[in-house]
């Protein structure tokens, strides 16, 4: 009961009714790829069926560039090129309802156009400048990174798996690294908010930095992946550089490019 | 306590029922009191392969539903002492089976003094297959030398690790054995089929045995006799080896490939080798 009392309103107290302080960070950025709330809902259901607790009540920011086209900022400033965003016909409200129905908590929109900004305000959503991982590129363009979107630090104890990750299995290391003492087989999937270490062949999928940690890496003793991803940037099997196929390798982000390197 | 063995594969038509019949009959030949249970409700195959289809009165579903006692439903094999069959129903709905009911049957078989309960799983990874594996202590994963079968076996191994009573109760995991069936060493050597080595590379479990592709299997099943009873045939002999290995005899593997000398030294070499580097 103790800590609860701190939140009880006390009209006679001298304490102000609210205080500013502290920062709560980290939203998963959900990129909407189709201007169709029903399709978004179905895709979400499929994702949730595979990884039920990955997104449970997760606060998310929406990236609408996939359906509205890029806003001027994401094209790059100072090069004189400004692309006016032409929002698709779909209403933000319908998209938000589809996401809520799927268990997500939309709280913000990344880089909204003026029209989307107005819609967001009406729905009680924040507008963020510098969407998702672009937040960190802000410093390169002389702009401070948006504090709101700093990545989760993977502080917890690593999730260690002593068994192979087999086809159809999905493992999620929430807020931490995943260590797999064995193979990740075709159709198997390891997701971690931090790094992924595989002491065996990676034949399935490995998604590190699942909540946006740009520093996350994937390490494996033999790269035969179906897909590797860091903070949402991914390479599929046929995109893996030939010299590293079947070899020990690590995968990391260099800017917005996924790089495969020696272990 | 009876030891419960599930024969499973994911992919259909790879030889689960053939294997269940021969493993059960072979165990009985070795002197163990054994029952084979057909979990493939709606299809009913095991009784045909074991040649007792005309003697089926009750089945697994009637026992689970309490319409018949286990003693009434069990069919005693006429050729092999110690061998019993609990058939599936051809007419009942798959949904008729439930976890508790199956659990009661397995437990009662234990109290009846059975040493081995061999569960012939339906194909797939859904409810039927999960029911068949739930109470298992050991699993024989039947795989054909083709990619789709091996991938399915991998999925089944994942389920065995996660969805069985042993896994859920946090007990010692199910012991898993690989049985490669319908194997043709010549076609593996020519690259038409996966080799045993390729299969082991992906699945990473212990090899229980290799059953060659054989006409003897078809002949036996047409006669309603488990092929293991014809132990002078290639497949019959291979199944008998498998049974003996299962109960602890150290027998060398056969039907791998005569010229494939280096197989064991390669497979058991301590350094991991790359499938692409060499
Ligand atoms: N070693 C073998 N050589 C030749 N034919 C075989 C061999 N093993 C099995 N078969 C044949 O393959 C077919 C399928 O075998 P079986 O019924 O045992 O498979 P199953 O896995 O039980 O199938 P289902 O998934 O439908 O239950 C049968 O016709 C059987 O005779
Ligand atoms: Mg069958």
């Amino acid at each position: 009961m103790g800590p609860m009392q701190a939140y009880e309103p006390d009209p006679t107290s001298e304490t102000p009714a609210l205080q500013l302080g502290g920062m709560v960070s980290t939203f998963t950025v959900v990129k909407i790829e189709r201007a169709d709330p029903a399709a978004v809902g179905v895709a979400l259901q499929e994702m949730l069926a595979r990884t039920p607790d990955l997104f449970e009540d997760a606060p998310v920011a929406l990236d609408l560039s996939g359906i509205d086209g890029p806003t001027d900022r994401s094209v790059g400033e100072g090069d004189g090129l400004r692309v006016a965003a032409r929002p698709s016909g779909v209403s933000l409200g319908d998209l938000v309802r589809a996401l809520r129905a799927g268990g997500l908590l939309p709280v913000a929109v990344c880089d909204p156009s003026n029209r989307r900004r107005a819609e967001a305000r009406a729905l009680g959503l924040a507008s963020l400048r510098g969407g998702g991982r672009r937040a960190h590129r802000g410093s390169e363009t002389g702009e401070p990174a948006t504090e709101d979107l700093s990545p989760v630090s993977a502080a917890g104890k690593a999730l260690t798996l002593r068994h192979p990750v087999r086809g159809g299995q999905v493992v999620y290391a929430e807020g931490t690294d995943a260590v797999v003492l064995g193979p990740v087989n075709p159709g198997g999937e390891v997701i971690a908010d931090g790094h992924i270490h595989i002491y065996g062949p990676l034949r399935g999928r490995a998604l590190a930095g699942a909540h946006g940690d740009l520093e996350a890496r994937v390490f494996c003793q033999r790269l035969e992946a179906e897909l590797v991803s860091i903070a949402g940037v991914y390479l599929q099997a046929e995109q893996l550089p030939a010299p590293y196929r079947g070899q020990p390798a690590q995968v990391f982000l260099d800017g917005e490019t996924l790089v495969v390197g020696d272990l | 306590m009876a030891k419960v063995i599930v024969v499973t594969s994911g992919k259909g038509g790879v030889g689960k029922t053939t294997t269940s019949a021969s493993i059960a009959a072979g165990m009985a030949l070795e002197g163990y009191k054994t029952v084979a249970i057909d979990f493939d409700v709606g299809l009913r195959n095991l009784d045909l392969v074991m040649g007792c289809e005309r003697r089926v009165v009750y089945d697994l579903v009637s026992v689970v539903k309490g319409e018949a006692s286990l003693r009434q439903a069990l069919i005693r094999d006429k050729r092999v002492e110690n061998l019993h069959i609990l058939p599936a129903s051809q007419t009942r709905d798959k949904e008729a089976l439930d976890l508790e009911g199956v659990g009661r049957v397995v437990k009662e078989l234990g109290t009846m003094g059975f040493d081995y309960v061999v569960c012939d799983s339906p194909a797939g990874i859904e409810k039927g297959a999960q029911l068949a594996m739930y109470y298992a202590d050991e699993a024989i994963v039947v795989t054909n030398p083709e990619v789709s079968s091996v991938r399915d076996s991998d999925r089944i191994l994942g389920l065995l690790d996660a969805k069985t009573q042993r896994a859920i109760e946090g007990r010692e995991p199910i012991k898993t054995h690989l049985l490669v069936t319908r194997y043709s060493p010549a076609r593996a050597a020519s690259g038409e089929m996966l080799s045993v080595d390729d299969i082991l590379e992906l699945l990473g479990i212990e090899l229980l045995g290799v059953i060659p592709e054989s006409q003897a299997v078809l002949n036996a099943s047409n006669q309603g006799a488990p092929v293991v009873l014809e132990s002078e045939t290639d497949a019959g002999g291979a199944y008998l080896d498998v049974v003996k290995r299962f109960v602890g005899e150290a027998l060398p593997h056969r039907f791998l490939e005569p010229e494939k000398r280096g197989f064991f030294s390669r497979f058991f070499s301590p350094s991991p080798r790359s499938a692409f580097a060499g």
Side-chain angles (χ1 to χ4, degrees):
Chain A
M1 217 22 233
M4 291 294 285
Q5 286 164 355
Y7 297 97
E8 270 173 28
D10 179 359
T12 63
S13 149
E14 291 298 298
T15 335
L18 59 81
Q19 289 186 4
L20 296 181
M23 286 281 191
V24 181
S25 60
T26 314
F27 309 123
T28 300
V29 176
V30 176
K31 187 167 184 200
I32 307 295
E33 300 282 13
R34 282 178 59 186
D36 176 357
V40 167
V42 169
L44 190 56
Q45 288 307 325
E46 283 168 6
M47 247 189 239
L48 290 170
R50 284 162 63 85
T51 352
D53 43 1
L54 178 54
F55 294 119
E56 199 184 7
D57 289 332
V60 297
L62 306 190
D63 175 353
L64 302 175
S65 62
I67 57 168
D68 288 353
T71 50
D72 47 358
R73 288 190 69 263
S74 53
V75 173
E77 290 180 12
D79 54 5
L81 180 66
R82 288 193 165 244
V83 180
R86 277 173 284 116
S88 62
V90 64
S91 97
L92 185 56
D94 287 344
L95 284 173
V96 165
R97 270 184 289 281
L99 295 173
R100 287 207 178 118
L104 299 188
L105 286 177
V107 294
V109 180
C110 305
D111 286 330
S113 63
N114 287 340
R115 197 197 100 191
R116 291 297 188 201
R117 188 188 305 273
E119 277 186 282
R121 194 178 298 128
L123 290 164
L125 303 187
S127 293
L128 301 175
R129 280 170 41 91
R133 40 194 149 76
R134 274 179 225 112
H136 276 254
R137 298 185 54 74
S139 52
E140 285 166 38
T141 58
E143 218 179 70
T146 317
E147 194 49 59
D148 290 346
L149 292 175
S150 63
V152 201
S153 68
K157 191 163 169 273
L159 176 73
T160 305
L161 301 159
R162 286 162 214 285
H163 295 290
V165 177
R166 298 195 182 269
Q169 293 185 320
V170 181
V171 175
Y172 174 39
E174 187 176 2
T176 186
D177 296 351
V179 178
V180 186
L181 304 176
V184 177
N185 275 352
E189 188 164 317
V190 180
I191 306 169
D193 289 340
H195 304 300
I196 297 175
H197 308 260
I198 300 162
Y199 294 92
L202 169 56
R203 304 173 176 128
R205 297 154 67 102
L207 296 88
H211 275 78
D213 184 352
L214 305 168
E215 305 296 319
R217 293 185 180 219
V218 172
F219 308 90
C220 64
Q221 288 190 331
R222 204 198 301 166
L223 185 64
E224 294 169 18
E226 291 169 335
L227 181 139
V228 275
S229 158
I230 310 286
V233 184
Y234 63 86
L235 288 176
Q236 286 173 300
E238 58 272 26
Q239 299 171 308
L240 296 174
Y244 288 100
R245 290 189 201 164
Q247 298 301 317
Q250 60 169 316
V251 182
F252 53 94
L253 265 183
D254 178 16
E256 287 188 4
T257 313
L258 211 54
V259 181
V260 182
D262 288 325
L263 196 58
Chain B
M1 271 290 278
K3 186 169 268 182
V4 182
I5 305 167
V6 63
V7 177
T8 185
S9 68
K11 191 170 158 70
V14 297
K16 293 178 293 297
T17 299
T18 303
T19 298
S20 300
S22 276
I23 295 278
M27 295 290 195
L29 284 177
E30 291 286 304
Y32 297 98
K33 187 173 175 186
T34 305
V35 55
I37 306 182
D38 190 347
F39 274 84
D40 208 345
V41 178
L43 281 172
R44 210 181 89 178
N45 259 314
L46 188 65
D47 52 337
L48 289 171
V49 173
M50 297 183 81
C52 62
E53 73 277 10
R54 302 214 190 136
R55 298 167 59 206
V56 173
V57 181
Y58 297 108
D59 53 62
L60 177 59
V61 172
S62 21
V63 178
V64 164
K65 293 258 159 192
E67 297 159 6
S69 73
L70 197 46
R71 276 176 205 286
Q72 287 174 304
L74 282 175
I75 300 171
R76 185 188 287 266
D77 190 88
K78 287 200 163 142
R79 292 155 300 211
V80 185
E81 219 194 316
N82 291 323
L83 178 59
H84 300 74
I85 296 114
L86 183 53
S89 164
Q90 227 165 8
T91 50
R92 305 295 279 265
D93 181 35
K94 281 204 262 288
E95 302 302 313
L97 289 184
D98 65 283
L99 220 49
E100 288 75 38
V102 172
R104 266 183 277 119
V105 170
V106 168
K107 203 166 172 191
E108 195 181 338
L109 288 168
T111 63
M112 288 169 77
F114 279 95
D115 297 305
Y116 287 105
V117 177
V118 177
C119 304
D120 179 18
S121 173
I125 55 171
E126 308 300 330
K127 189 185 164 199
Q130 295 191 17
L131 262 177
M133 70 170 64
Y134 190 79
Y135 295 101
D137 300 303
E138 306 205 18
I140 296 176
V141 177
V142 179
T143 305
N144 287 171
E146 51 183 77
V147 171
S148 59
S149 174
V150 178
R151 293 275 176 101
D152 279 8
S153 294
D154 190 54
R155 294 203 66 167
I156 280 289
L157 285 164
L159 293 181
L160 288 165
D161 272 348
K163 301 259 169 155
T164 51
Q165 191 185 36
R166 278 176 175 267
I168 288 161
E169 291 178 355
R171 284 151 62 201
E172 197 187 322
I174 284 194
K175 217 186 214 172
T176 51
H177 310 269
L178 175 66
L179 186 68
V180 179
T181 61
R182 311 201 68 165
Y183 193 65
S184 158
R187 295 179 67 190
S190 73
E192 265 176 88
M193 283 180 172
L194 296 179
S195 69
V196 169
D197 205 2
D198 296 332
I199 300 170
L200 286 168
E201 166 82 31
L202 187 88
L203 297 180
I205 60 172
E206 170 257 344
L207 180 66
L208 179 62
V210 177
I211 311 296
E213 171 78 23
S214 167
Q215 181 65 34
V217 171
L218 301 178
N219 296 347
S221 89
N222 285 337
Q223 290 165 30
V227 70
V228 74
L229 299 184
E230 277 134 51
S231 58
E232 72 291 346
T233 63
D234 52 358
Y239 272 118
L240 197 60
D241 280 7
V242 163
V243 168
K244 290 183 170 169
R245 270 186 217 112
F246 196 95
V247 300
E249 256 180 74
L251 293 173
H253 286 291
R254 298 194 284 150
F255 309 107
L256 286 172
E257 184 180 354
E259 55 282 304
K260 209 167 180 184
R261 278 262 159 255
F263 172 72
F264 282 101
S265 52
R266 273 184 29 231
F267 182 66
F268 291 115
S269 69
S271 63
R273 69 205 158 76
S274 160
F276 296 96

